[in-house]
Amino acid sequence: MTTPHSEARDEPVDPDVGLRTAVRRRTSWREQAPVVAVVAVGGGIGAAARYGAALVWPTAAGAFPWTTLWVNVVGCAVIGVFMVVITDVWAAHRLVRPFFGTGVLGGFTTFSTYAVDVQQLVDGGHPGTGLAYLAATLCAALAAVWLAATATRRVLAWRQR
């Protein structure tokens, strides 16, 4: 007779996936703690940089939130460069990507503030500005990642010649 636990291990998690594929590697707290720590530290650094930008270039109520737009665009461009560098050029330490990509750049870019800015513009009687900001941020952020990644790949290819 088998116990319920041993029966559960004999069945795949998904009927389309074999048992060997479905086995998950359990990670311990000791393995995850450094990742959580570097994401937290990086996030604090990125958020402080974003806050500094908002202090230097404040946005008046009802005005187009240029600072948040540019913070997001610059952050997305840096993400594009960073991802190319750590995937195509540099075999980075396992904590570099969580620290810089998720932490610093995740804390620097602010799509939650972007959503609040859109809501405040619409609620404040500026729906056209809110919609323009909504579309401009989306298009500019996507374009920044793509252009930065493409330009980085081209520069790297040119330097290898």
Side-chain angles (χ1 to χ4, degrees):
M1 180 158 178
T2 60
T3 64
H5 295 292
S6 65
E7 288 175 13
R9 277 185 264 147
D10 292 340
E11 296 180 19
V13 174
D14 183 293
D16 296 330
V17 177
L19 181 59
R20 289 189 179 116
T21 306
V23 173
R24 289 186 177 166
R25 180 179 172 269
R26 291 186 183 236
T27 56
S28 71
W29 174 246
R30 286 185 187 175
E31 292 172 319
Q32 291 299 319
V35 175
V36 172
V38 298
V39 168
V41 170
I45 293 167
R50 174 175 28 95
Y51 178 71
L55 290 177
V56 173
W57 301 290
T59 300
F64 194 90
W66 286 105
T67 301
T68 305
L69 173 81
W70 284 112
V71 160
N72 286 332
V73 170
V74 168
C76 287
V78 174
I79 287 169
V81 172
F82 176 67
M83 292 308 294
V84 169
V85 169
I86 67 165
T87 58
D88 296 357
V89 177
W90 180 39
H93 185 275
R94 73 178 189 95
L95 297 177
V96 170
R97 186 173 175 176
F99 170 74
F100 191 72
T102 305
V104 174
L105 295 174
F108 182 67
T109 56
T110 173
F111 290 95
S112 58
T113 301
Y114 156 68
V116 169
D117 287 344
V118 170
Q119 184 67 46
Q120 287 176 342
L121 286 167
V122 171
D123 290 347
H126 306 282
T129 304
L131 290 174
Y133 174 56
L134 179 78
T137 299
L138 177 63
C139 293
L142 291 173
V145 171
W146 183 80
L147 287 170
T150 301
T152 303
R153 283 190 183 101
R154 286 186 180 173
V155 166
L156 292 172
W158 175 76
R159 289 189 68 180
Q160 290 178 350
R161 289 184 196 174

